[in-house]
Amino acid sequence: DLSDGGFPVASLMQGNDGNFYGTTSAGGSSSLGTVFVITPEGQFRSLCPFPSSSVGGYPEAALVQGSDGNLYGTTVIGGANQLGSIFQVTTNGNLTSLISFSGTSGSSPGANPQCPLVQGPNGNFYGVTPSGGANGLGTIFRLSVPMPVVFKAITLNNGAATLTWSSVASQTYQLQYSTNLTETNWTILTKPTVASNGTMTITDLNAANSPQRFYRVVLFP
């Protein structure tokens, strides 16, 4: 029975939840492979199949977990051009095709990726293809995926509020606040600031001047 997948090729990847995630290069509802999870106790569960060749098929590279908590990987075939794709899958099994490789030209040159992706400190993913590109000999590629801003901590001390949120190095952020969520105007608290690592911290020295304050972070392109 190949309904849960078959013929795993790639290594397992341990997620930040402690579970192990992997792919099969065949099986599933469309016989194009699956994504699965195994708990440390050995409980197996199929997360999702690759539903059609337009999404991708036959993944052979290990998954990687991005800083946003989602899993990212590549397929050898499939996609809009049947030359492979890059996909994102949540730990709950929601699968999304991000890009399709286009061969020797087009917006995503390269074909048939077989190696795992690597996420750089700037949040981008990098990888290689063994074929495609201008000379048909392969490519090195970069994929930019917007990383959501997540507040990690808010602490109060002597009327000042210190806020810490997730960031991506070299990206620009601005902290704003409002005293009423029914209004559309937000007050700028800081000038646009370039992040140097994966965390930013800003202190609002005047937080106690308002009975309540709501904060948001704006990411600049």
Side-chain angles (χ1 to χ4, degrees):
D1 183 5
L2 293 176
S3 61
D4 288 335
F7 306 107
V9 177
S11 302
L12 295 175
M13 183 277 301
Q14 188 169 25
N16 54 25
D17 58 2
N19 293 326
F20 295 90
Y21 295 87
T23 59
T24 66
S25 61
S29 58
S30 299
S31 301
L32 295 169
T34 65
V35 180
F36 64 86
V37 58
I38 301 176
T39 68
E41 295 76 28
Q43 295 178 327
F44 172 90
R45 179 167 58 93
S46 179
L47 282 179
C48 62
F50 288 88
S52 67
S53 62
S54 62
V55 173
Y58 305 152
E60 294 186 0
L63 298 168
V64 61
Q65 188 164 37
S67 57
D68 60 355
N70 295 318
L71 309 177
Y72 294 84
T74 59
T75 66
V76 176
I77 68 163
N81 305 300
Q82 299 302 309
L83 295 172
S85 67
I86 300 177
F87 65 89
Q88 176 199 78
V89 60
T90 69
T91 54
N92 293 325
N94 294 320
L95 178 66
T96 303
S97 179
L98 297 178
I99 68 110
S100 297
F101 288 95
S102 56
T104 58
S105 61
S107 60
S108 305
N112 314 118
Q114 297 168 296
C115 294
L117 300 171
V118 175
Q119 188 174 29
N122 59 2
N124 294 329
F125 291 90
Y126 298 85
V128 297
T129 66
S131 58
N135 300 306
L137 298 174
T139 63
I140 300 174
F141 63 84
R142 178 184 68 191
L143 173 68
S144 299
V145 179
M147 294 290 116
V149 174
V150 178
F151 279 104
K152 295 184 173 182
I154 299 178
T155 58
L156 296 175
N157 186 25
N158 295 325
T162 300
L163 301 96
T164 302
W165 66 87
S166 61
S167 60
V168 174
S170 78
Q171 300 247 346
T172 303
Y173 301 85
Q174 183 181 72
L175 183 63
Q176 302 177 355
Y177 76 90
S178 175
T179 58
N180 190 339
L181 288 180
T182 62
E183 298 178 357
T184 58
N185 294 326
W186 289 75
T187 301
I188 295 174
L189 187 62
T190 64
K191 64 181 181 180
T193 304
V194 178
S196 59
N197 52 49
T199 302
M200 290 194 72
T201 299
I202 298 292
T203 298
D204 180 6
L205 298 175
N206 301 311
N209 292 347
S210 306
Q212 63 181 11
R213 284 197 180 190
F214 303 93
Y215 295 92
R216 75 177 183 183
V217 175
V218 175
L219 174 62
F220 282 72

